[in-house]
Amino acid sequence: MIYKGLTKRKKIRTFLLITFLFLTTYVTSKTFKKVYSKDIILFGSDLFTKNDILNNCSLNLPTPLIFIKTNYLERELKQKLSLQNVSVNRQIFPFGLKILIKTRTPIAYAEKISEGKKIVGFIDEDGFFINEQYSDIENMKQLSIRVIGWKENFRETLSKILKSQKNNDVEFVTVKFSPNGFLTLEEKSLKKIFLGINPKIIETQLQMIFDIKNQIRGSSIIENIDNIDLTAPNNPKIKVFKP
């Protein structure tokens, strides 16, 4: 009786060992299997095709699944396709490369100069530039802000400007950066506002814009404003048209 019990347990262990070895061999063979374009699975957005993915990263197919550097691909795609987030995962079941895409939401039109050419696109609230071809234009609400002269090093300043409108009664129409970084805003009521080239004081300048608009709201002076100069916040200047 004891002998039969030991034999049964031995058979179970043997079966489990064989199953484990089989699965290990199967999984190993799958990881070395080559990935082709047909094995790429895209989720999260209909704006992108497999060709968009392959044309904007260093992935050369076919290549064994185990050799695909997912973290590196994520960084490449996020930067080149102006994505908010991207997740690249190797899969055994079903076999392939699963790519989950999260796009950015445009809130402003934008222009930038790249290699001497003007590139048209959009900006999200974090100040990131989104190429026109990767924007969901059909489902986009009418945008009223235009950003001119976008550069990567202006992004943080731009984000502060765009986000500042949420809780304040201002309506910026244009945000313009000159090649050397001189910043000029155009507000719906206050017209042109000069802010200059010092990004460290942008929060102070924005607060001054809100305060100025609140102070002169409803007065006749707001209709006669030509421009406001806040390049030196301790010496603000308001130029008005002479009657």
Side-chain angles (χ1 to χ4, degrees), residues 17-18 86 111 117 121 129 156 160 167 186 199 231 235 240 243:
L17 178 61
I18 293 173
V86 58
E111 298 174 8
K117 297 180 180 179
F129 190 92
E156 186 176 347
K160 291 178 180 179
N167 302 315
E186 183 179 349
T231 53
N235 185 29
V240 297

Side-chain angles (χ1 to χ4, degrees), residues 76-93:
E76 279 189 310
L77 293 172
K78 187 175 181 180
Q79 179 181 0
K80 293 185 179 181
L81 297 179
S82 305
L83 299 174
Q84 183 172 347
N85 199 15
V86 58
S87 175
V88 181
N89 295 289
R90 295 186 291 258
Q91 285 192 165
I92 301 296
F93 309 105

